[in-house]
Amino acid sequence: MAYETLIIEKRGAVGLITLNRPHALNALNSILMHEMEEALARFHEDDAIGAIVLTGSEKAFAAGADIKEMKDLSFTDAYLGDLMAGWDRIAASRKPMIAAVSGFALGGGCELAMMCDFIIAADNAKFGQPEITLGIMPGMGGSQRLTRAVGKSKAMDMALTGRMMDAVEAERAGLVSRIVPVDKLLEEALAAAAKIAGFSRPAVLMTKESVNRALETTLAEGVRFERRLFHALFATEDQKEGMAAFVEKRKPAFRNL
Ligand code: CO8
């Protein structure tokens, strides 16, 4: 399938999605949202793909939802059309997703990066929730995911003043997992994704599920959930292989079984 707003590639066991609306700084319009759903569904069906990297251009990961597309909408357009709901399906991706962010990640762009499992930032990255400057507020999860990522004080500061955070501040605050030079961004993100894709897929997916559970439940429930998944992994051949390989001092050959 040909995409209008995305470039889709396979790099070994990694699916690479590049946002491709350069003239609008990768602003997220409805075509892009639908194409992303479609591309992700294909990567999920493809057993050869173990992890996904989402990136933009050097200047912009994404400068937000498309303001030009939204500006004339009425309340009923937004409500009855369930504006932005498709992004929930993207956030529900089961395979690990890494956001490789260079340049602007603003509004919906920051929210999209936060839907991924972790963010690797280039040293020129800028994060922000500037919706307040447009007379609106975050609508793709920013008020929730940013607060969980950086805490109330910084989330309030970002969302109420609309100011941007640079890569150093974002790493210090826990929004991004690592900062790399801009020319190494894709290489580093692809290497991290390839590493994940090389592990046992059941273990990878259960790890992701369990970490995400931490954001949604009590500590006691989360620990119980983790233990059940941990027990379940002893039903996999990959657990036998991984531990046997350690004892035999060789590299494991996981088969996702
Ligand atoms: N939407 C549409 N077009 C955009 C967007 C955007 N978000 N951002 C940039 N563009 C376009 C510009 O209009 C411009 O197009 P043109 O050349 O046709 O005028 C082109 O991209 C280049 O942009 P600039 O000339 O502005 O580039 P600069 O380098 O001068 O500035 C900035 C870069 C600072 C990133 C600036 O473009 C900017 O402030 N952009 C808007 C940032 C913003 O406010 N983002 C939040 C959008 S709202 C949002 O994301 C809400 C999400 C949740 C909605 C949920 C609803 C239910």
Side-chain angles (χ1 to χ4, degrees), residues 37 40 44 85-97 115-117 145 205 208-209 212 216:
E37 280 187 78
L40 278 177
H44 281 96
W87 292 107
D88 290 345
R89 293 187 283 278
I90 289 161
S93 160
R94 293 188 76 204
K95 289 184 182 175
M97 281 178 75
M115 286 176 202
C116 296
D117 298 305
R145 292 197 179 92
L205 265 57
K208 169 170 171 161
E209 220 183 317
N212 278 334
E216 289 168 6

Side-chain angles (χ1 to χ4, degrees), residues 23-25 27 59 63-68 84 107-108 111 130-131 134 139:
H23 302 303
L25 300 184
K59 180 166 180 189
D66 192 315
I67 299 167
K68 292 166 189 166
M84 305 289 167
E111 293 170 303
E131 289 90 340
L134 299 167

Side-chain angles (χ1 to χ4, degrees), residues 84 107-108 110-111 114 128-133 135-147 155 158-160:
M84 305 289 167
C110 185
E111 293 170 303
M114 291 190 292
Q129 297 292 158
E131 289 90 340
I132 196 80
T133 66
I136 55 167
M137 61 179 281
M140 282 168 53
S143 65
Q144 307 304 301
R145 292 197 179 92
L146 187 64
T147 308
M158 304 300 296
L160 289 175

Side-chain angles (χ1 to χ4, degrees), residues 101 110 119-122 125-128 146 149-150 154 158 163-179:
V101 174
C110 185
I119 301 173
I120 301 181
K126 287 199 180 329
F127 298 88
L146 187 64
V150 305
K154 211 172 265 288
M158 304 300 296
R163 79 170 175 90
M164 292 185 211
M165 205 173 357
D166 65 16
V168 171
E169 185 180 359
E171 190 193 30
R172 201 171 58 224
L175 179 61
V176 313
S177 69
R178 25 181 147 158
I179 305 175

